[in-house]
Amino acid sequence: MALENEQFEDMIPIYAAAVISDDHEDGIDDPKSYKAATESLLAEKWDMAMTEQLDAIGQHQVFGDFVELPEGRKALPSHWVYKIKRDGAGNVQRYKARLVCGGNHQIEGIDYQATYAPTARLGHVWLALVIAAQYDPPIHQMDVCTAFL
């Protein structure tokens, strides 16, 4: 039985709220700042996560040679972003910390000329799965722990 449009529209906000909610049964939430992470009961876990990120930055040589900034320019700020990775049942699997640049402080034409973010469109993923279903090649799923673009 198909849902009437009016019935379906009433369901969307309830579903969306459930997906977006940060409430977890265990009461553990993602810290919103470095101070919150380092002063929490899980400070040791967050410290390990930050160390992993800094080690990966060093291992992958993310930063090249350091140079003097041009006169009148300021370096872009950076900050930590924290995320607790959970499995389908909501159990904590990993504490993840990422050091990110405050790119929202950039000015087009001065700090950058163009932007590009390589992402997969859902339609392309579906197409790949349809081709795989038709021709039965092996499919592998992977998780990238660190990606520096």
Side-chain angles (χ1 to χ4, degrees), residues 19-24 28-34 37 42 45-50 52-53 79-87 91-100 145:
V19 171
I20 295 170
S21 175
D22 281 339
D23 296 337
H24 301 287
I28 302 172
D29 293 323
D30 301 335
K32 302 297 183 208
S33 68
Y34 175 83
L42 299 168
K45 302 270 189 194
W46 292 120
D47 186 53
M48 287 180 9
M50 289 185 286
E52 284 178 23
Q53 173 72 356
H79 62 275
W80 287 99
V81 175
Y82 304 95
K83 183 70 179 164
I84 297 173
K85 297 296 186 170
R86 298 173 183 272
D87 64 12
N91 300 314
V92 174
Q93 295 296 304
R94 181 173 179 222
Y95 295 84
K96 190 172 181 180
R98 292 290 173 253
L99 185 61
V100 299
C145 294

Side-chain angles (χ1 to χ4, degrees), residues 10 12-13 17 30 36 56-57 60 65 67 85 124 129 142 146 148:
D10 291 339
I12 292 173
D30 301 335
I57 287 171
H60 296 289
D65 295 332
V67 297
K85 297 296 186 170
H124 296 157
L129 292 174
M142 61 179 272
T146 56
F148 300 102

